[in-house]
Amino acid sequence: MQADDGARRRSQAAWLVAFVAVLLCGAAMRLAAAEDMEYKADEIWTFERTQPDPARPFPWIGMPSSAGMDNPGMSVWVFMALARLFHAHDPVSLARVVQALSIAAIGLQVLFAWRWAPRADREAWLWSAALLSVNPLAVLFHRKIWPPSVLPIFISLMLIAWWRRERRLSAFCWGLLGAVIGQIHLGGIHFAAGAALWTWWADRKRAAWKSWAVGSALGALPMIPWIKHLIATHGTRPAAPMKWQHIFEFKYWLRWFSEAFGWGIDYSLGDDFRDFLAQPVIGGQSTWLVAALHAACVALGGYLLVRWWRHWRVAEVDPSDNWRHSSTALAENIGLWGYGVMLTLTLTPIHCHYLIIVYPLEFLWVARLALGHGAEAARRRPSSRMLLACLCGAQLLISASFLGYVHARQVIHGDYGVVYQAQAERAGAQR
């Protein structure tokens, strides 16, 4: 018995060390070579408005969005506040603030898992933090001077408030933060609405709705200038194309799966994606290791889905099963269905950066998919953990390879474009 206890403690210690190592790798990748960040029209527009300029009026309205309308003013106010608070007087310094906030958001998720998540759900929340730390698209988006990139910290705080939604203060903060998120990025409006509607449908009796409504109303007050602007400019600007066929593309759920399992970086690399898949090049020969890592992630995802499907077909539904009716399951469904349905019903194209808002929840889905529940899941728990560890390792290597590739190339023939450092060097050479 003592030998078994000793082996169990050593195993737990090993997993803890590995978990901390993954979190540290995720933090390092977010902070590494900040001068290699994206710096295009959106980032330039945002940074310029964080710097004092007597000739420029206060920006009551944010930058134009892909939805065909201007963003609310808070999408730029948040960066103005961060620049002043942390004395960020150049793009790299401001990007480092965003990167640090994303690391803090992951830390909040870990704290939440240990402090508030039920013991039965704790491991899934911790695995979601590990996967979030090393996911390629998470690393990409958490390094930018871009409104969606500052959302993780607000989403983490909102989820913590939502978790204790039966308390008036927590429900108030949930509503307030939901309104704030919607003003930082328009997709946040759909997320906040999806969270409220799904909670009302699935667990309405628990929430302090009056407090939530007060918080939402108070948080929406800064939107007044934006609403006036929308009314004044209505019909004067082309809107994003709204097409019914977008409902049947199921693009949100395709992105939910593909991004959670490490795909999607082609969005940023564009024409260079095939070259990236061929990396690393050793002795002048392409090894295609990055392609193999992508294939491994897809294989792991496919295997987990097939395994879940086989179990679901034969499992008996137990109404008292906490795995299906816990707040963890409700949070997962808010991301998977609440936000997904609300976004799909806009009839507009769904871009991959819209899922920044649900990054903790899509990885929570992956972790719960792998870990499962019940006696059978308990027996295969060691193998499930190993599968998740392999997924973390593969995505970590893809993310590190991506950062190395961008650093080596400096000019990407895709959405990433020319890195900030190369732009600064060119500007200096032209003076």
Side-chain angles (χ1 to χ4, degrees):
M1 181 65 69
Q2 291 181 350
D4 291 342
D5 290 342
R8 188 180 301 109
R9 285 195 295 269
R10 288 192 295 272
S11 176
Q12 291 174 347
W15 279 110
L16 178 60
V17 170
F19 175 70
V20 173
V22 167
L23 295 184
L24 291 176
C25 286
M29 288 190 293
R30 281 161 173 76
L31 296 173
E35 62 276 6
D36 288 341
M37 68 179 181
E38 288 185 57
Y39 198 62
K40 305 191 299 297
D42 287 358
E43 291 83 6
I44 294 171
W45 189 97
T46 299
F47 173 74
E48 287 179 346
R49 279 150 185 80
T50 66
Q51 305 305 301
D53 185 352
R56 183 184 296 120
F58 183 82
W60 290 103
I61 307 300
M63 75 175 75
S65 72
S66 59
M69 64 180 70
D70 294 326
N71 280 287
M74 197 173 292
S75 62
V76 66
W77 301 343
V78 65
F79 286 99
M80 295 171 65
L82 292 173
R84 177 165 295 187
L85 182 62
F86 294 99
H87 306 287
H89 302 305
D90 61 85
V92 173
S93 298
L94 187 56
R96 287 207 178 278
V97 175
V98 175
Q99 294 158 12
L101 285 178
S102 75
I103 295 170
I106 296 172
L108 266 180
Q109 189 177 343
V110 174
L111 175 64
F112 164 79
W114 284 110
R115 176 65 178 83
W116 289 288
R119 187 177 185 86
D121 297 332
R122 183 174 301 159
E123 183 173 2
W125 281 102
L126 291 173
W127 275 113
S128 70
L131 289 165
L132 171 60
S133 295
V134 297
N135 178 263
L137 277 176
V139 171
L140 165 68
F141 287 129
H142 290 183
R143 290 167 50 86
K144 299 179 60 173
I145 304 173
W146 206 33
S149 300
V150 298
L151 287 177
I153 188 71
F154 294 98
I155 294 294
S156 297
L157 290 170
M158 176 183 158
L159 285 174
I160 292 173
W162 171 87
W163 194 265
R164 308 302 292 272
R165 56 195 175 278
E166 72 279 1
R167 300 186 178 187
R168 292 179 181 176
L169 179 59
S170 295
F172 172 85
C173 292
W174 165 28
L176 181 70
L177 288 164
V180 168
I181 289 166
Q183 293 173 75
I184 294 175
H185 185 258
L186 288 173
I189 295 176
H190 303 98
F191 178 76
L197 290 173
W198 198 268
T199 303
W200 175 268
W201 178 73
D203 192 27
R204 73 185 66 177
K205 293 182 179 180
R206 179 178 169 185
W209 289 106
K210 291 182 180 179
S211 298
W212 170 85
V214 172
S216 299
L218 184 62
L221 289 179
M223 297 177 70
I224 293 175
W226 177 67
I227 294 172
K228 289 182 177 179
H229 172 75
L230 287 185
I231 295 173
T233 59
H234 179 69
T236 63
R237 295 182 55 185
M242 299 176 65
K243 300 179 180 179
W244 282 101
Q245 56 262 40
H246 289 315
I247 291 180
F248 307 103
E249 291 173 347
F250 302 106
K251 188 167 289 186
Y252 177 86
W253 294 279
L254 290 173
R255 293 196 185 283
W256 173 282
F257 176 83
S258 62
E259 293 182 20
F261 286 101
W263 280 83
I265 208 71
D266 57 306
Y267 153 87
S268 181
L269 292 177
D271 293 339
D272 286 336
F273 182 60
R274 186 180 185 279
D275 184 55
F276 173 62
L277 292 177
Q279 301 300 311
V281 176
I282 300 177
Q285 296 295 319
S286 299
T287 63
W288 294 93
L289 176 60
V290 173
L293 291 169
H294 277 81
C297 289
V298 171
L300 286 168
Y303 172 76
L304 290 175
L305 280 178
V306 170
R307 193 179 71 170
W308 168 83
W309 173 256
R310 289 176 176 174
H311 175 71
W312 180 81
R313 285 198 310 167
V314 300
E316 295 182 0
V317 177
D318 181 0
S320 64
D321 187 354
N322 190 56
W323 192 85
R324 288 187 173 90
H325 301 284
S326 65
S327 287
T328 297
L330 180 55
E332 177 189 311
N333 286 325
I334 284 172
L336 181 58
W337 302 114
Y339 178 51
V341 170
M342 291 295 295
L343 204 58
T344 301
L345 290 178
T346 63
L347 308 181
T348 57
I350 295 178
H351 304 290
C352 64
H353 62 265
Y354 289 176
L355 272 78
I356 296 176
I357 295 175
V358 290
Y359 268 153
L361 303 182
E362 61 181 327
F363 296 119
L364 177 65
W365 171 78
V366 172
R368 281 164 53 86
L369 185 72
L371 296 172
H373 71 293
E376 182 182 349
R379 287 193 298 269
R380 68 187 185 203
R381 188 60 54 87
S383 63
S384 297
R385 289 169 177 160
M386 191 55 63
L387 288 171
L388 287 170
C390 290
L391 186 60
C392 279
Q395 295 197 38
L396 190 158
L397 292 174
I398 292 172
S399 297
S401 299
F402 169 74
L403 294 178
Y405 184 81
V406 169
H407 182 72
R409 292 293 298 270
Q410 295 289 292
V411 178
I412 301 299
H413 300 101
D415 186 76
Y416 203 101
V418 182
V419 305
Y420 171 75
Q421 179 175 271
Q423 294 183 46
E425 290 174 352
R426 289 180 184 179
Q430 292 174 358
R431 291 174 183 169

